[in-house]
């Protein structure tokens, strides 16, 4: 059976290179290869069984129209021509009747790569005058913080972790999402490095850590500020580095001054001596490296928390050596110009924050949505305030299109479903945001049923609605050429990709911060208190907003990534129900035993599921993974039913970890 090279574009830092065995157009086996030296032939179990996703019973095989009540998931097959004509006419009808802003495209991109959005899709909706979607459910607060402080400077490459003598993993769990960092951390430990993990749960890495700081969710900011205060007050700040390479150091010192270890301990639940231990260990060790993740951004203080964590290597002077500094996301190193492929400037139409989908669908934001077009996303199971979203999707006067590879929970509410190809069935471009690597791949398997690619379908909708123009980039080759026009002047990246090789960014695959790369700020300095962030954050940057817990809802509910799904992708393959994890002390206080049916509730809704009593979560915290589908709980609701649609301090991000709940045993 022939084997074809490919690469994984799913929402993971690693961008695994793949060997795909195909027989008669059907995928038989998926394994890793060594084209990406970071992944080096090893891939996660999610993707090694990707053929189960491709050929599952939930796979959409043809276009279809609703044949029952919304939410039932009953559809009647139709031809592509009929489906596209119905959708295009509805787009034009809504624009004529209610204005273009009554059309809301809803997408995120966790299920596919670069060719499947930010091209003909955005062009279609811009030319129709549709509402603009603010895609802020993930990485918006961290992105704002990283841009404000460092201009999204390239971070430490994974292979250089072996040179670190101290690694701090803050707000990340690479064992579940981004597994290829783990061997480098383990090798660093074998060479004598210390490991610190900051996480409310005792993850696999936390079990191996020299120091595990099990903080309360949403309190990363006090913990980071207390560490900064200790550095300043104990003469361990690198004054020479700050004078030469930073602005705002004295203002940061002033704002951190109130956060003594004792006060931070009272707020975070981390003992004061452990906070001082972290600060002393960080000050004393070089090279020291922070792997900053996205867990700390999922709260009301998420942007400021990330900024405080990213300020640590500047204040302590940890840059300039291999294995020292920080890693966040590497996405910005490519500098691709997506706007060039869209060929249409962004209109000044209404902007809808995706975290407020439920509000928008119910007209509570001052506008209206008559047509919702969902692709590359499963919003019913991934957006906050799930019951608001569900109520909106149930509207009889809302026309919903869902373009996906499988029948998601969101698709069950659609008026028209369109079957999409997966990344092995169409041409794709994949970039790592941990691995510094870029792949261009071709389809290796026949599309299942009548599935079509995003770029083909949206190009056709442009033609049918009359907004297509001569010269619009449409094909993968045309999209890629437009993207690289500005940043790839000599054509190196394009030539490498066309030759089937993996491409590296201009900074190379192992940059040393403040040696090979510098902040992408106007003065090439770290801005520790940037004015734009200070103006955006309520109360100013680094201002702490208190815990939203109440007597009625005292437990913090977190929804971390799992090892089974990528956001909600692959959720349909999990046939069992998933329990909520609760600490033995909290379980005993409520008369809950392991395996009991429980009701998890607050003013927004309730989830009924089984309990798993475990000390892997700290007291006061309950954990139910993100990305679950309705089949995974007793009542069909998931953690998102309990998550408020409030926004983070920076970037308008989601506050998943601000969910506060009560848990009670119920009869099963």
């Amino acid at each position: 059976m022939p084997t074809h090279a490919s690469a994984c574009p799913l929402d993971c830092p690693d961008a695994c290179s793949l060997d795909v065995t195909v027989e008669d157009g059907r995928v038989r086996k998926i394994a890793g290869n060594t084209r990406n030296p970071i992944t080096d032939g090893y891939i996660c179990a999610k993707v090694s069984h990707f053929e189960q996703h491709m050929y599952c019973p939930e796979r959409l095989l043809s276009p279809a129209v609703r044949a029952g009540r919304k939410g039932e998931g009953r559809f009647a097959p139709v031809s592509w021509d009929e489906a596209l004509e119905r959708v295009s006419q509805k787009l034009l009808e809504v624009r004529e009747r209610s204005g273009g802003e009554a059309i809301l495209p809803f997408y995120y991109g966790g299920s596919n790569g670069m060719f499947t959005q930010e091209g003909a899709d955005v062009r279609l909706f811009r030319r129709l005058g549709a509402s603009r979607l603010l895609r802020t459910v993930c990485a918006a607060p961290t992105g704002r913080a990283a841009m404000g402080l460092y201009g999204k400077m390239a971070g430490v490459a994974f292979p250089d972790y072996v040179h670190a003598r101290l690694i701090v993993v803050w707000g990340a769990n690479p064992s579940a999402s981004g597994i290829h960092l783990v061997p480098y951390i383990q090798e660093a430990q074998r060479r004598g490095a210390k490991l610190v993990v900051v996480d409310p749960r005792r993850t696999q890495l936390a079990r191996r850590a020299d120091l595990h700081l099990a903080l309360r969710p949403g309190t990363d900011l006090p913990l980071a500020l207390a560490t900064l205060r200790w550095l300043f007050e104990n003469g361990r700040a690198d004054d020479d580095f700050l004078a030469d390479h930073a602005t705002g150091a004295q203002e940061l010192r002033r704002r951190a001054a109130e956060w003594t270890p004792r006060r931070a301990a009272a707020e975070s639940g981390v003992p004061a001596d452990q906070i001082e231990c972290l600060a002393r260990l960080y000050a004393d060790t070089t090279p020291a490296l922070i792997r900053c993740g996205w867990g700390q951004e999922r709260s009301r203080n998420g942007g400021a928390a990330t900024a405080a964590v990213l300020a640590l290597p500047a204040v302590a002077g940890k840059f300039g050596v291999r294995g020292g500094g920080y890693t966040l996301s590497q996405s910005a190193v490519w500098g691709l110009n997506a706007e060039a492929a869209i060929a249409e400037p962004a209109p000044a139409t209404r902007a809808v924050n995706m975290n407020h989908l439920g509000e928008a669908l119910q007209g509570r934001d001052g506008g209206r949505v008559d047509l919702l077009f969902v692709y590359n996303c499963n919003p019913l199971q991934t957006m906050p305030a799930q019951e608001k979203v569900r109520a909106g999707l149930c509207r009889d006067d809302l026309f919903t299109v869902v373009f996906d590879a499988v029948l998601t929970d969101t698709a069950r509410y659609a008026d028209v479903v369109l079957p999409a190809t997966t990344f092995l069935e169409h041409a794709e471009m994949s970039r790592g945001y941990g691995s510094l690597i870029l792949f261009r791949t071709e389809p290796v398997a026949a599309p299942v049923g009548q599935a079509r690619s995003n770029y083909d379908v949206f190009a056709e909708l442009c033609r049918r609605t009359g907004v297509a123009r001569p010269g619009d980039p449409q094909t993968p080759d045309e999209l890629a050429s437009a993207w690289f026009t500005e940043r790839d002047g000599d054509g190196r990246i394009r030539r490498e990709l066309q030759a089937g090789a993996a491409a590296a960014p201009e900074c190379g695959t192992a940059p040393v911060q403040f040696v090979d790369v510098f902040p992408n700020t106007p003065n090439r300095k770290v801005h520790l208190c940037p004015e734009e962030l200070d103006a955006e954050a309520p109360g100013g940057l680094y201002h702490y907003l208190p815990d939203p817990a109440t007597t009625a809802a005292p437990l913090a509910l977190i929804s971390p990534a799992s090892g089974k799904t990528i956001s909600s992708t692959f959720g349909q393959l999990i046939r069992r129900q998933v329990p909520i994890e609760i600490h033995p002390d909290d379980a005993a206080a409520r008369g809950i035993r392991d395996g009991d049916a429980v009701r998890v509730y607050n003013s927004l809704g309730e989830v009924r599921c089984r309990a798993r009593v475990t000390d892997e979560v700290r007291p006061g915290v309950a954990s139910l993974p993100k990305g679950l589908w309705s089949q995974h709980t007793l009542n069909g609701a998931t953690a998102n039913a309990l998550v408020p649609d409030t926004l983070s301090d920076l970037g308008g991000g989601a506050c998943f970890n601000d969910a506060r709940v009560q848990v009670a045993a119920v009869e099963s």
Side-chain angles (χ1 to χ4, degrees):
M1 291 184 286
T3 298
H4 306 273
S6 189
C8 178
L10 300 181
D11 189 6
C12 167
D14 299 354
C16 292
S17 54
L18 308 174
D19 279 336
V20 184
T21 303
V22 179
E23 181 182 33
D24 297 328
R26 188 179 177 94
V27 173
R28 298 297 183 185
K29 181 181 177 182
I30 303 174
N33 66 32
T34 58
R35 291 178 69 209
N36 183 348
I38 304 297
T39 62
D40 195 29
Y42 175 71
I43 61 175
C44 71
K46 307 170 194 177
V47 176
S48 65
H49 299 296
F50 190 77
E51 75 282 358
Q52 296 177 10
H53 177 70
M54 295 176 67
Y55 307 121
C56 68
E58 294 82 1
R59 186 72 194 265
L60 293 172
L61 302 178
S62 72
V65 296
R66 182 163 56 88
R69 293 194 304 271
K70 290 191 174 186
E72 289 182 344
R74 292 196 293 120
F75 297 92
V78 297
S79 68
W80 267 106
D81 183 68
E82 181 178 345
L84 291 175
E85 191 61 22
R86 184 176 298 206
V87 171
S88 60
Q89 290 305 309
K90 197 68 176 181
L91 287 165
L92 295 173
E93 175 191 322
V94 168
R95 184 178 66 169
E96 178 66 22
R97 183 186 69 242
S98 305
E101 290 184 348
I103 300 168
L104 178 62
F106 203 92
Y107 64 103
Y108 192 72
S111 58
N112 275 306
M114 298 167 62
F115 285 150
T116 49
Q117 65 182 38
E118 302 294 306
D121 54 327
V122 176
R123 188 184 308 131
L124 169 70
F125 295 117
R126 285 187 180 181
R127 291 178 182 173
L128 289 172
S131 289
R132 293 174 291 122
L133 182 71
L134 303 180
R135 297 187 301 121
T136 56
V137 73
C138 182
T142 54
R144 287 289 291 142
M147 179 62 75
L149 268 69
Y150 293 95
K152 291 190 175 181
M153 177 176 66
V156 177
F158 289 175
D160 279 345
Y161 275 59
V162 301
H163 300 291
R165 303 296 295 170
L166 172 67
I167 298 172
V168 181
V169 178
W170 198 314
N173 181 18
S175 300
S177 54
I179 59 175
H180 296 92
L181 177 58
V182 175
Y184 294 109
I185 293 176
Q186 292 173 334
E187 176 60 25
Q189 287 183 290
R190 282 191 287 270
R191 298 185 183 190
K194 300 290 186 181
L195 175 64
V196 176
V197 172
V198 182
D199 197 298
R201 298 181 303 146
R202 193 168 71 247
T203 62
Q204 290 185 32
L205 278 181
R207 294 189 197 104
R208 304 187 189 116
D210 298 278
L211 179 63
H212 173 209
L213 305 182
L215 76 175
R216 296 189 184 108
T219 63
D220 302 81
L221 178 58
L223 179 59
L225 289 175
T227 307
L228 288 164
R229 180 190 185 278
W230 190 95
L231 294 171
F232 281 120
E233 297 302 319
N234 288 275
R236 304 307 299 272
D238 190 330
D239 294 330
D240 291 339
F241 178 88
L242 293 173
D244 293 340
H245 297 289
T247 66
Q250 289 307 310
E251 182 60 22
L252 173 60
R253 179 173 186 165
R254 185 185 71 80
R255 298 187 189 194
E258 63 182 299
W259 287 102
T260 64
R262 177 176 293 182
R263 184 185 177 197
E267 197 67 34
S268 68
V270 176
D273 61 339
Q274 289 190 10
I275 298 174
E276 293 184 11
C277 179
L278 167 64
R280 184 174 291 105
L281 189 61
Y282 190 66
D284 289 345
T285 311
T286 298
L289 176 54
I290 295 177
R291 177 26 163 169
C292 182
W294 294 266
Q296 77 289 337
E297 78 161 16
R298 295 160 64 92
S299 81
R300 63 210 178 275
N301 301 303
T306 301
V309 172
L310 294 181
L312 284 165
V315 172
K318 297 303 179 182
F319 292 119
V321 293
R322 191 166 297 281
Y326 73 86
T327 308
L328 182 56
S329 172
Q330 308 282 27
S331 295
V333 302
W334 299 99
L336 302 182
N337 183 10
E339 294 293 315
I342 296 169
E344 185 73 17
T349 52
R350 175 180 66 149
V352 176
N353 187 309
M354 68 190 315
N355 297 303
H356 288 162
L357 176 61
E359 295 283 300
L361 291 181
Q362 297 183 57
R364 297 177 182 172
D365 65 344
R368 60 184 296 165
V369 177
D370 291 349
L371 191 152
L372 178 70
F373 199 122
V374 178
Y375 59 105
N376 290 0
C377 194
N378 181 13
L380 182 60
Q381 302 301 1
T382 54
M383 295 301 117
Q386 184 178 74
E387 296 310 321
K388 287 185 185 180
V389 176
R390 192 190 310 277
L393 291 173
C394 285
R395 279 175 41 203
D396 289 332
D397 62 339
L398 175 70
F399 188 85
T400 301
V401 181
V402 174
F403 185 19
D404 207 306
V406 300
L407 185 67
T408 64
D409 283 338
T410 304
R412 293 181 178 277
Y413 293 82
D415 295 280
V416 176
V417 292
L418 304 175
T421 48
T422 67
F423 75 89
L424 295 178
E425 299 163 304
H426 59 244
E428 196 52 277
M429 187 172 288
S430 313
R431 61 179 171 181
Y433 57 92
S435 299
L436 288 163
I437 201 162
L438 180 71
F439 290 109
R440 166 71 190 272
T441 58
E442 297 301 322
V444 299
V448 172
Q450 299 178 41
R452 293 186 183 180
S453 68
N454 289 35
Y455 42 82
D456 285 339
V457 169
F458 281 113
E460 178 63 19
L461 286 172
C462 284
R463 288 189 286 270
R464 287 178 181 252
T465 56
V467 302
R469 298 172 187 166
D472 284 341
Q474 296 180 9
T475 68
D477 285 340
E478 291 167 347
L479 291 170
S481 294
W483 285 336
F484 287 111
T485 298
E486 296 180 8
R487 292 295 298 271
D488 188 30
D490 63 359
R492 174 187 63 83
I493 293 177
R494 280 171 290 177
R495 288 194 303 273
E496 290 177 358
L497 293 176
Q498 289 169 356
E506 293 178 6
C507 66
T509 58
V512 176
Q513 293 175 315
F514 283 87
V515 174
D516 303 308
V517 292
F518 292 85
N520 292 313
T521 55
N523 59 3
R524 289 181 30 119
K525 291 187 176 184
V526 187
H527 296 174
L528 295 173
C529 286
E531 293 180 2
E532 64 273 20
L533 300 190
D534 204 32
E536 180 179 348
L541 187 61
Y542 305 119
H543 173 70
Y544 177 68
L545 300 172
D547 194 303
T550 64
T551 303
L555 299 178
L557 177 69
I558 59 175
S559 47
S562 79
K564 301 295 185 181
T565 64
I566 299 176
S567 191
S568 74
T569 303
F570 308 133
Q572 83 281 7
L573 301 177
I574 303 173
R575 308 299 179 184
R576 59 178 176 82
Q577 296 207 334
V578 178
I580 188 169
E581 295 182 342
I582 185 171
H583 190 272
D585 293 349
D586 295 320
R590 292 162 175 79
I592 295 171
R593 296 172 299 180
D594 193 64
D596 280 356
V598 296
R599 173 180 177 238
V600 189
Y601 62 97
N602 60 20
S603 62
L604 298 174
E606 72 171 34
V607 178
R608 296 202 174 210
C609 57
R610 299 286 176 180
R612 177 174 178 256
V613 179
T614 173
D615 61 1
E616 291 182 355
V617 294
R618 61 158 291 133
V621 173
S623 177
L624 190 63
K626 72 175 180 178
L628 299 185
W629 289 31
S630 58
Q631 68 203 46
H632 300 134
T633 65
L634 295 170
N635 69 335
T638 67
N640 290 39
L642 307 168
V643 173
D645 54 6
T646 52
L647 302 179
S648 60
D649 53 348
L650 299 179
C655 296
F656 291 104
N657 288 353
D658 280 352
R660 297 296 179 266
V661 300
Q662 184 58 279
V663 181
V666 296
E667 293 185 6
S668 57

